[in-house]
Amino acid sequence: GSPLDYAVQDKELLDVFLSHGVDAGSIGPLLLWGSAARGDAAEVKRLLDGGADVNAPNAHGETPLSGAALSGHAKVVTLLIARGADVSATRGRRGAAHSREGTPLIAAVCSGKLRVVKAIVEAGGTEPLALALDYAKHARLKKITEYLLEVKAKAKPSRAAKPKQPRTGVPTFDLNDACLLVDAPVERVAKALMKQLGAETWRPDAY
């Protein structure tokens, strides 16, 4: 992000940029995200009333709701949800590869504020629940962990899925395949693998 992307999170810094010729009208979406991230509910309301897009992302693909949730501003989170914020939004553009880590629920958990987590969940933002639980457990957020476990227990069971086979290898970077890492002599491994696969031939160095 640019320096301005970070300055909008601090009112005094933003005023410096505006006083040096930055046009507030041209950075409307960025202003909304910054106001949400710093918890300025009055400014958020003013911008929304003026037509700002409640789901407009910043340079990192984060929505105003995620910004407010990450900063732990429950009042702004509630306001944004009431004005139509997408509680299941994932990161777009940059960071798309990690979109599941960019949902409002994950941001809320990272804030450590139970009230914020509840606001997101009660509005329907429950994805990705399993990952959110992992975050909460890792950070030792006891109350949030207990709450998310209750949410998980109350969730309707999904259609029975086939049990996943345990992973026995790691993806390779070149062939979209998998390799098996075994600490043993090649000949012993090859013999055991042939038996497992029902193979009849082992050809060394046949990459």
Side-chain angles (χ1 to χ4, degrees), residues 29 56-62 90-98:
N58 66 2
H60 304 287
E62 299 164 334
T90 56
R91 282 188 182 182
R93 298 187 296 181
R94 298 181 199 175
H98 305 291

Side-chain angles (χ1 to χ4, degrees), residues 32 35-36 38-50 75-76 79 83:
L32 178 59
S35 300
R38 64 177 184 266
D40 190 341
E43 180 67 4
V44 168
K45 186 177 184 302
R46 186 188 72 80
L47 291 168
L48 291 174
D49 289 344
K75 184 177 180 179
V76 175
L79 171 61
R83 299 294 287 267

Side-chain angles (χ1 to χ4, degrees), residues 6-38:
Y6 297 96
V8 292
Q9 300 178 57
D10 184 290
K11 189 64 168 62
E12 291 185 13
L13 287 176
L14 176 59
D15 287 343
V16 171
F17 278 79
L18 294 176
S19 68
H20 282 76
V22 173
D23 179 15
S26 67
I27 58 171
L30 197 56
L31 287 177
L32 178 59
W33 186 90
S35 300
R38 64 177 184 266

Side-chain angles (χ1 to χ4, degrees), residues 190-202:
K191 185 176 180 181
L193 189 57
M194 285 177 66
K195 182 178 180 181
Q196 175 71 22
L197 299 176
E200 297 179 355
T201 303
W202 168 45

Side-chain angles (χ1 to χ4, degrees), residues 128-168:
L129 185 57
L131 187 59
L133 259 171
D134 286 343
Y135 272 64
K137 291 176 181 177
H138 182 73
R140 299 183 179 181
L141 301 171
K142 184 178 179 181
K143 290 184 178 180
I144 292 178
T145 299
E146 291 174 347
Y147 173 70
L148 292 178
L149 285 172
E150 291 176 2
V151 172
K152 182 180 179 181
K154 294 177 182 177
K156 294 181 179 180
S158 57
R159 293 181 180 179
K162 295 181 179 179
K164 294 183 178 180
Q165 294 295 324
R167 296 187 64 181
T168 55

